[in-house]
Amino acid sequence: MKWTRTPQILAKISDQKLQAWASDLNAKWKSLGRKIRDDVRTHPMFYSQIYVPYPLMVPGGRFIEYYYWDSYWVIEGLLLSEMAVTAKGMIQNFLYLVERYGHIPNGGRVYYLRRSQPPFLTLMMDAYLAHANDTEFLRENIHLLEVEYEFWQRNRSVSLTVGDRNHTLNYYSVQIGEPRPESYSKDWELVTDLNEDARQELWAELKSAAESGWDFSSRWFLSWPPPLPAKLKDTKARAVVPVDLNAFLCKTEHLLASFYRILGNTTKAAQFQAALERRLEAVQAVLWNEAAGVWLDFNLLKKQPNPAFYPSNLAPLWTDCFSDQAAAERAVQYLEGSTVLSYKNGLPTSLARTGEQWDLPNAWPPLQHMVIAGLAKSSSLRAKEIAFALAQNWVRTNFALYKKYQAMFEKYNVDGDGKPGTGGEYQVQVGACTEMLQCLQGQDVCLQSLTRQGGCAFLMGGGPLFCLQRGGPLFCLQTNCWAGS
């Protein structure tokens, strides 16, 4: 792997302390790189690893193998760090897995083969192509992007009727029971008072929730909304049509249509454009909630939307999975009408305190990015302002804890003065590559957004992280720091 000591992103950070921090984070790539031995390929019966041919980055901490959806942000970080060859290699690894298995497993162990994770392969390709004009790489592999898309359409789709219209959307659905090998004892302890059928049912639900990447969360509990009591045994992930999964597939369809147009295949382009238009209609009909002014997960058992807050409710803003341009303004009203913006350490994953790691009080980097980037690119000035404020809060939280612990964490606690996240099945992990580069990316996204508006963009030690000139007096995105209109 070719590591770059001083990627250009560092020059965009004027504050010396923050620049030094970013440089420290960039240096951590050297400890996170892995190459799977060829003996794993020639003697797979001796290993739990799944072989892939190219070098890769692992998340860090206890996670010493690659994971699917984490790798999207890893690749974005690698590209920001000018390690495009390594980023391409990771994409080639995933293409190799699609060619071999027909889908991308949850992670790089054989016990993950029967479930996937959120489909980001096509988005990874798009991120890479934005940095490298490698049309030939796309041409050689676009059929594998389509194979993965078809896996989700064939194995993870559900039909719903709204009015007189039938719609097809996607959900997480693993149809095999038995305990998860990676959490075998915990899964057995959970079902001691259940009969055999109920055990198998719950184990399949746990695997389906794990496929979402949100393992575990009140989002998958049948008992909702909070404060109704709910626990892990209430997991019914296969009953949920998730907003974010369908937003990701919406983006996949848009990109596949665009890719085929670039390659001159108008027939395929028209096919995926039609698929995109069908999904846009389905997302609007099934997941958009006019009363709430946002998209909401739909529960198939209750036949109604889940009204609870999750950052994933805003995922369509990030993937452009909407037709009504007023959606961003409605999303701002939705955020400002809740309590979620009152948390200064990050956007909470939910407002339910269940003890699970994908709930309050934790904030997760991928969710911060989706919401911030979705708001920042909208035409709404207020949405942009909220995006900048959220980005500032997130960078500040990460930097403060890095100074204290000399480490980055996979999740952060939004309560109080800020501390590492908590809850779930394991202790919070240190050195997570995804989260580390999310800070670099968060800074870069905001700087780019400010630059596009013709504003100033700079970092100040002890002061506002981001400032914007809006054609008048300077105002800064920090609490009690407004000096203009």
Side-chain angles (χ1 to χ4, degrees), residues 79-362:
L79 293 169
L80 283 172
S81 297
E82 298 172 23
M83 297 178 66
V85 173
T86 306
K88 180 178 180 180
M90 290 187 68
I91 297 170
Q92 288 172 302
N93 286 338
F94 289 127
L95 292 166
Y96 170 88
L97 294 170
V98 172
E99 191 164 38
R100 183 173 181 185
Y101 300 111
H103 71 285
I104 298 174
N106 182 136
R109 301 285 174 179
V110 293
Y111 46 75
Y112 290 137
L113 280 171
R114 299 295 295 274
R115 67 181 194 249
S116 188
Q117 269 196 334
F120 273 88
L121 178 59
T122 301
L123 280 70
M124 293 175 187
M125 177 68 81
D126 181 56
Y128 170 70
L129 294 176
H131 284 73
N133 186 23
D134 198 348
T135 306
E136 192 56 35
F137 180 55
L138 173 65
R139 189 184 307 278
E140 291 170 356
N141 293 290
I142 193 167
H143 68 288
L144 294 174
L145 302 182
E146 192 171 344
V147 168
E148 197 222 5
Y149 170 79
E150 289 300 332
F151 166 82
W152 287 89
Q153 294 303 97
R154 186 173 61 253
N155 300 292
R156 303 291 191 269
S157 64
V158 60
S159 295
L160 305 97
T161 301
V162 178
D164 60 351
R165 297 280 293 177
N166 293 324
H167 302 284
T168 299
L169 289 169
N170 295 82
Y171 67 145
Y172 300 108
S173 180
V174 179
Q175 299 296 331
I176 55 171
E178 301 303 327
R180 292 168 296 148
E182 73 276 17
S183 300
Y184 194 85
S185 61
K186 289 183 174 65
D187 284 5
W188 264 111
E189 291 166 4
L190 190 64
V191 302
T192 53
D193 59 341
L194 301 180
N195 63 38
E196 182 61 20
D197 287 345
R199 287 175 176 179
Q200 297 297 334
E201 179 76 11
L202 179 56
W203 286 332
E205 293 291 354
L206 294 177
K207 290 177 180 177
S208 299
E211 185 171 67
S212 75
W214 289 52
D215 42 340
F216 294 100
S217 171
S218 62
R219 195 178 172 199
W220 316 122
F221 295 169
L222 186 59
S223 298
W224 50 254
L228 292 179
K231 51 190 176 181
L232 198 54
K233 277 188 179 178
D234 294 314
T235 299
K236 294 286 184 182
R238 292 181 295 181
V240 178
V241 180
V243 170
D244 49 355
L245 172 60
N246 285 282
F248 304 151
L249 287 166
C250 191
K251 187 66 172 182
T252 297
E253 289 158 347
H254 168 79
L255 289 172
L256 287 173
S258 175
F259 290 164
Y260 275 119
R261 279 193 289 270
I262 291 170
L263 297 177
N265 190 330
T266 56
T267 301
K268 283 286 189 179
Q271 173 189 328
F272 282 101
Q273 183 64 35
L276 170 63
E277 291 170 4
R278 289 193 297 270
R279 190 176 301 272
L280 285 168
E281 180 182 352
V283 166
Q284 178 68 22
V286 179
L287 302 178
W288 175 258
N289 187 277
E290 183 63 26
V294 78
W295 301 270
L296 299 173
D297 294 341
F298 187 83
N299 190 284
L300 297 169
L301 293 178
K302 293 196 171 190
K303 301 186 185 304
Q304 65 186 73
N306 181 348
F309 168 81
Y310 302 101
S312 52
N313 293 349
L314 296 148
L317 287 182
W318 181 51
T319 65
D320 300 305
C321 192
F322 60 93
S323 300
D324 185 357
Q325 296 307 306
E329 290 287 359
R330 298 295 304 277
V332 166
Q333 295 169 17
Y334 171 73
L335 286 171
E336 293 185 321
S338 74
T339 61
V340 298
L341 296 181
S342 67
Y343 294 92
K344 298 305 179 185
N345 298 323
L347 203 61
T349 306
S350 81
L351 295 177
R353 293 186 185 271
T354 64
E356 301 301 335
Q357 64 172 348
W358 288 83
D359 276 317
L360 195 67
N362 289 337

Side-chain angles (χ1 to χ4, degrees), residues 12 372-379 384 387-388 443-457 467-469:
K12 297 181 180 180
I372 290 169
L375 291 171
K377 69 179 182 178
S378 78
S379 59
K384 294 179 188 296
F388 302 154
Q443 293 176 8
D444 193 49
V445 164
C446 288
L447 291 168
Q448 289 180 23
S449 299
L450 289 164
T451 301
R452 281 197 299 270
Q453 293 188 55
C456 67
C467 290
L468 172 66
Q469 188 74 40

